[in-house]
Amino acid sequence: QVQLVESGGGLVQAGGSLRLSCAASGFIRRINAVGWYRRAPGKQRELVAVSTSGGITNYADSVKGRFTISRDNAKNTVYLQMNSLKSEDTAVYYCNANVATTIPGAKYDYWGQGTQVTVSS
């Protein structure tokens, strides 16, 4: 019923910035909690940033002060603004959203397919 598509990844030099977008489409009634995860080469998937249904945001220590999660509910889109990028930020980034569909009372977690971010040093 719902699909998430990430975009905005690419190659950037250390110290640069990127903004990732995650557009949700389908039978959406409301997007609740949203988050960004990443998987770096040779590492486990890591939570990067999350915005709860109550509006509380949390970030991994490694990105605090540099990354910002936000969303435009009217556009059903989630963003991750990434500043002061480091080579250690190189990873595939995935968005996640808990979505209330047009079926009353139905809530599901959805994942995007990921977008590659590569930071050169």
Side-chain angles (χ1 to χ4, degrees):
Q1 286 188 315
V2 177
Q3 291 187 343
L4 306 180
V5 180
E6 299 97 337
S7 63
L11 176 65
V12 64
Q13 292 183 337
S17 299
L18 286 174
R19 188 179 74 164
L20 305 184
S21 298
C22 176
S25 61
F27 299 96
I28 300 170
R29 182 186 180 192
R30 179 179 180 180
I31 300 177
N32 300 310
V34 297
W36 285 93
Y37 294 75
R38 68 185 181 188
R39 178 175 279 118
K43 295 185 177 181
Q44 302 290 332
R45 187 173 65 183
E46 173 190 22
L47 174 65
V48 176
V50 62
S51 177
T52 70
S53 59
I56 304 299
T57 58
N58 291 285
Y59 299 89
D61 288 340
S62 60
V63 307
K64 285 182 178 178
R66 300 188 297 119
F67 290 12
T68 302
I69 185 172
S70 63
R71 53 178 154 181
D72 185 337
N73 289 327
K75 297 182 180 296
N76 290 328
T77 301
V78 183
Y79 304 97
L80 183 68
Q81 179 67 46
M82 306 185 295
N83 299 324
S84 302
L85 284 163
K86 306 174 181 179
S87 60
E88 303 89 85
D89 296 318
T90 296
V92 177
Y93 285 72
Y94 302 87
C95 68
N96 167 265
N98 180 266
V99 178
T101 71
T102 53
I103 301 175
K107 299 178 181 179
Y108 302 96
D109 285 323
Y110 294 91
W111 290 86
Q113 294 182 332
T115 185
Q116 176 71 49
V117 172
T118 302
V119 183
S120 62
S121 60

